[in-house]
Amino acid sequence: MLLILWLTCITVLSIVMLVVHLEPAQRLHTRRVGPRVLDLPKRTAWKLMSAIAVPSVLYFYAAHDGFSAHPVLSLSSLTLALYCTHYLYRSVVFPWRLRSSGTYSAVVVVCTWCYYVPMGYFLGSYLAGPPTPLFAASWPLFSLGLTLFVFGLASTVAHDAALIRLREGPSSEYRIPQWGLFQFSSNAHYLSELIEWLGLVLLTGALPAAAHFAAIFLLMVPQALRTHRWYHEYFGGEYPSRRAALIPFVL
């Protein structure tokens, strides 16, 4: 029941993000939220936004005796490790690599905590349940899910780096991303992360993992559509007309 209520709130937030007013050529993440006094440097904000994800899931996993109930070679331990690996990258490595200036509001940071803490509870408490050895998992789905997660994580890191490289050099002008999946999607870094979480769903078959995938998708769609529109407004006819906003050939 709590999971359904939480996912409903995410859906409402996604709809609000879709209809929020933006000035011409403005991107969704640049719209001001809250008073200027609450602004944080972008690097600091990114660290704070994602850093809560790891301790949240570890706390609820431990609170439900997950560490004592599950051996290292279990599906729960592997799932927990994969989830934490992604958010350690998001909270430590990615902010360190950022070169762009700018700010995010502390209001946005607190809003992300309202996502990660409940998700930590849902996933951590689920994974702490009855142990499932790795060899008892459905191997075709397990293998496909693990492959998709590893590919998606590597792709996320690579496409984040591609975006960061676009701003290298003396000029701060935006350039059209051309590398890798950017040839098919305006938001290849978002697409890569969706591949990760789809892999986690197939790997675990867990309802919280499916809810996480659905919520991430709902939150990414408004940002992807606005970014896609911004690219077309900023670059005009130079921008590839057949490139999708998020999912190639679909969205």
Side-chain angles (χ1 to χ4, degrees):
M1 184 64 184
L2 285 176
L3 186 59
I4 295 174
L5 179 61
W6 175 82
L7 198 55
T8 301
C9 293
I10 295 296
T11 304
V12 172
L13 176 60
S14 176
I15 294 171
V16 170
M17 292 168 65
L18 276 171
V19 301
V20 67
H21 173 72
L22 294 179
E23 300 297 330
Q26 185 183 26
R27 303 171 76 176
L28 188 58
H29 69 270
T30 61
R31 193 180 191 278
R32 172 162 298 283
V33 179
R36 192 177 298 274
V37 70
L38 295 177
D39 285 356
L40 296 169
K42 189 175 288 187
R43 280 188 177 184
T44 302
W46 264 107
K47 291 176 184 177
L48 294 175
M49 279 191 286
S50 302
I52 196 69
V54 173
S56 292
V57 73
L58 292 178
Y59 170 79
F60 290 111
Y61 185 74
H64 289 81
D65 298 321
F67 288 109
S68 58
H70 295 274
V72 174
L73 293 179
S74 68
L75 188 59
S76 292
S77 298
L78 176 62
T79 304
L80 189 69
L82 294 176
Y83 182 86
C84 291
T85 298
H86 172 86
Y87 285 110
L88 284 172
Y89 163 72
R90 270 283 171 249
S91 60
V92 178
V93 179
F94 178 71
W96 176 74
R97 298 170 74 186
L98 275 177
R99 292 186 176 90
S100 58
S101 57
T103 60
Y104 282 139
S105 173
V107 176
V108 176
V109 174
V110 173
C111 287
T112 61
W113 292 349
C114 293
Y115 177 94
Y116 289 125
V117 174
M119 177 46 61
Y121 167 74
F122 297 134
L123 189 61
S125 58
Y126 178 91
L127 294 177
T132 303
L134 286 180
F135 58 80
S138 172
W139 276 105
L141 285 179
F142 175 86
S143 302
L144 176 60
L146 184 59
T147 301
L148 285 176
F149 187 93
V150 173
F151 170 79
L153 179 58
S155 182
T156 297
V157 174
H159 288 90
D160 282 345
L163 281 179
I164 292 170
R165 285 196 300 269
L166 288 179
R167 303 299 299 273
E168 289 180 342
S171 174
S172 61
E173 285 294 314
Y174 283 97
R175 289 178 287 167
I176 299 175
Q178 300 286 2
W179 183 85
L181 293 177
F182 279 116
Q183 298 176 70
F184 309 99
S185 171
S186 295
N187 296 275
H189 50 318
Y190 290 168
L191 175 62
S192 300
E193 190 166 333
L194 286 176
I195 293 172
E196 277 187 77
W197 302 127
L198 177 61
L200 198 72
V201 174
L202 297 178
L203 188 153
T204 63
L207 182 59
H212 183 54
F213 171 78
I216 292 294
F217 176 77
L218 286 170
L219 293 172
M220 282 184 173
V221 165
Q223 299 181 73
L225 292 174
R226 295 299 183 103
T227 297
H228 184 66
R229 183 184 303 170
W230 181 87
Y231 276 132
H232 278 280
E233 291 174 351
Y234 189 87
F235 294 106
E238 296 180 37
Y239 197 73
S241 59
R242 296 189 178 183
R243 188 175 296 187
L246 181 58
I247 302 175
F249 317 114
V250 177
L251 182 59

